[in-house]
Amino acid sequence: MFLVAHTSNAAEAVAEFRRHRPDVILMDLRLPGTNGTDVLFAIRGEFPRARIMMLTTSDSDGNIQRALRAGASAYILKSMPKNDLLSVIRSVHAGRRHIPADVAARLAEHLGDDDLTTRELEVLRLIRDGYRNKQIADQLSISETTVNFHIKNLVDKLQANDRTHAVTIALRRGLLQI
């Protein structure tokens, strides 16, 4: 194994992939100005067989799901022991996909949970931003009763104690960003 390129942003990553066409890419989820999943989409859009491993500190459900849907060959945490990392790289090189047990368990924890609707996510974002129910109603041009209905539904779906707890859960799962 040897390193053919090292990049610090999305544009460089795409350009270096075109130039070197490496067997496997280790991509950080967080990149200046964008995220690794966007770069993964860009590279796989041009090179569908590219093998890209997401290497990150983020174990949020949303980030994991987005990366896997985008075609990541593996989603591994930076805390993974070096010998295990080398083994995963070899496995991905051989054409297999890899999700460590702890990451898979995190995904499985919420499998089958009701997805939030677009409107529920809008309400949740406004709650995160400090809006009261009446202000949310005004922002979305709906009644305050409808806002209360959406809040009740999203609190139930997220199994939260209240609206603030729902925001915390949504942030942890990657449904909302700060």
Side-chain angles (χ1 to χ4, degrees), residues 18-155:
R18 283 184 190 125
R19 192 167 108 194
H20 296 286
R21 308 252 174 114
D23 295 327
V24 176
I25 297 173
L26 289 164
M27 177 78 63
D28 198 327
L29 187 65
R30 293 184 178 99
L31 297 171
T34 190
N35 66 60
T37 304
D38 292 340
V39 178
L40 182 128
F41 271 121
I43 292 173
R44 288 196 38 104
E46 195 172 331
F47 304 95
R49 293 189 177 167
R51 294 183 184 126
I52 302 173
M53 298 173 53
M54 300 308 291
L55 179 63
T56 182
T57 58
S58 173
D59 65 352
S60 88
D61 300 5
N63 287 332
I64 297 167
Q65 289 175 6
R66 274 189 296 280
L68 293 175
R69 281 190 194 120
S73 298
Y75 191 99
I76 54 178
L77 301 177
K78 289 182 179 181
S79 57
M80 175 180 271
K82 182 181 176 184
N83 287 339
D84 292 348
L85 174 61
L86 294 173
S87 177
V88 173
I89 292 170
R90 287 182 180 102
S91 176
V92 167
H93 180 260
R96 291 186 291 277
R97 297 183 77 176
H98 183 83
I99 303 171
D102 54 336
V103 173
R106 182 145 176 85
L107 277 176
E109 196 175 307
H110 302 293
L111 267 180
D113 287 356
D114 291 328
D115 287 335
L116 297 182
T117 65
T118 302
R119 181 62 86 183
E120 289 165 348
L121 285 170
E122 289 172 331
V123 169
L124 201 53
R125 282 186 201 101
L126 291 169
I127 293 169
R128 174 204 60 198
D129 294 343
Y131 287 81
R132 293 196 170 103
N133 291 9
K134 177 150 181 37
Q135 294 170 311
I136 294 170
D138 292 342
Q139 283 285 318
L140 299 177
S141 300
I142 58 177
S143 73
E144 195 170 347
T145 304
T146 303
V147 171
N148 291 333
F149 174 78
H150 288 307
I151 292 172
K152 181 196 175 308
N153 284 342
L154 65 90
V155 165

